[in-house]
């Protein structure tokens, strides 16, 4: 299976989101970063904007919640029409219950871990999630440089997943240089923000990254 490309709109033009979505329509997902100014030191978009994007997006929506209290808020994003809802394991109080609730609301459930959180922390969640996200930068900002240790974590997560139908996603610092190594380490879905929206032609860049991930 070729690696799926999930452009993050964090570096897109927030005044023209519909047009920006058209520019990446050849991707596999659109990655939507929700930040609350508490879990991470940055603030982006929230539920009303995600709801509207889910309505108009030509692509499945991959909502990445970098927020405190996902137990309360994540199910609302699922109910708002997100295809997949990712919460951070570091912020969740009851991740099993939360994953079930997200699924009950009709979305795929995903759990993310920060660079300093060990992969083993996901072990008891494997029957409950559709995707695992290994952060390859500290969450909060686009355009940061890739943390090399993430490659070993991806390989470890791949082994942990085994034959289960769980996708392995990576987020942060993906570009032409890191893409081949991310694919080799086992990533199924690669999020890329600045590499795609910083390119002159985002659609062409998606193709370049896809080729490098083969
Ligand atoms: C970072 C976000 C990422 C970000 C990636 O906290 O979760 O999705 O947009 O941006 P790049 O690809 O520029 O590292
Ligand atoms: Zn993200």
């Amino acid at each position: 299976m070729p690696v799926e490309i999930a452009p993050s709109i964090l570096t897109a033009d927030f005044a023209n989101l519909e047009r920006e979505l058209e520019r990446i329509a050849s991707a596999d997902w659109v990655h939507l970063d929700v930040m609350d100014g508490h879990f991470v030191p940055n603030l982006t978009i929230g539920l009303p904007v995600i709801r509207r994007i889910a309505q108009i997006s030509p692509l499945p929506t991959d909502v990445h919640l970098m927020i405190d209290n996902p137990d309360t808020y994540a199910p609302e994003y699922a109910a708002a029409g997100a295809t997949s809802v990712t919460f951070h394991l570091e912020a969740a109080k009851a991740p099993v219950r939360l994953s079930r609730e997200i699924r009950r609301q009709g979305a795929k459930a995903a759990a993310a871990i920060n660079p300093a959180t060990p992969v083993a922390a996901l072990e008891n969640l494997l029957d409950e999630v559709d995707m695992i996200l290994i952060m390859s930068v500290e969450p909060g900002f686009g355009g940061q440089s890739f943390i090399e240790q993430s490659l070993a974590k991806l390989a470890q997560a791949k082994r942990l997943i085994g034959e289960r139908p769980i996708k392995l996603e990576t987020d942060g610092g993906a570009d032409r240089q890191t893409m081949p190594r991310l694919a080799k380490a086992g990533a199924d879905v690669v999020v890329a923000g600045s590499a795609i929206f910083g390119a002159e032609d985002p659609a062409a860049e998606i193709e370049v990254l896809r080729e490098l991930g083969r």
Side-chain angles (χ1 to χ4, degrees):
M1 277 283 279
V3 171
E4 295 175 16
I5 309 289
S8 160
I9 60 157
L10 192 58
T11 11
D13 178 359
F14 275 115
N16 291 289
L17 284 181
E18 193 165 21
R19 196 192 65 199
E20 294 290 69
L21 287 173
E22 282 162 21
R23 294 212 298 162
I24 55 158
S26 59
D28 299 284
W29 296 87
V30 56
H31 182 85
L32 303 167
D33 289 305
V34 174
M35 306 185 188
D36 68 351
H38 293 271
F39 182 71
V40 289
N42 197 4
L43 189 65
T44 56
I45 52 176
L47 194 57
V49 179
I50 298 290
R51 180 179 290 118
R52 191 68 188 116
I53 292 177
Q55 286 167 356
I56 64 153
S57 175
L59 295 171
T61 49
D62 175 28
V63 176
H64 179 195
L65 299 176
M66 287 159 275
I67 61 172
D68 280 343
N69 253 321
D71 302 70
T72 302
Y73 300 112
E76 295 184 30
Y77 286 85
T83 312
S84 172
V85 176
T86 303
F87 62 86
H88 267 265
L89 197 58
E90 298 85 357
K93 292 184 185 69
V96 171
R97 183 168 62 213
L98 176 53
S99 301
R100 292 181 179 182
E101 191 53 28
I102 290 170
R103 282 173 157 179
R104 205 174 67 81
Q105 295 293 337
K108 293 181 189 305
I113 56 168
N114 282 339
T117 302
V119 170
L122 294 161
E123 206 170 333
N124 295 315
L125 214 51
L126 295 175
D127 289 338
E128 312 292 339
V129 294
D130 302 289
M131 187 160 73
I132 280 173
L133 169 55
I134 307 292
M135 289 302 299
S136 37
V137 297
E138 290 287 1
F141 303 93
Q144 302 181 77
S145 57
F146 183 76
I147 298 171
E148 291 289 328
Q149 174 70 28
S150 319
L151 293 169
K153 287 180 74 180
L154 279 170
Q156 199 187 340
K158 193 73 181 175
R159 284 195 298 274
L160 191 67
I161 289 170
E163 294 303 306
R164 294 180 182 85
I166 299 176
K167 282 188 198 289
L168 183 58
E169 183 177 44
T170 175
D171 183 3
D175 58 17
R176 293 182 183 199
Q177 277 67 47
T178 50
M179 190 66 185
R181 290 185 290 152
L182 291 168
K184 194 159 169 248
D188 301 303
V189 183
V190 172
V191 177
S194 47
I196 289 174
F197 280 104
E200 207 147 297
D201 183 347
E205 196 60 26
I206 288 168
E207 281 324 305
V208 169
L209 294 176
R210 209 175 248 146
E211 274 309 310
L212 289 168
R214 262 183 223 283

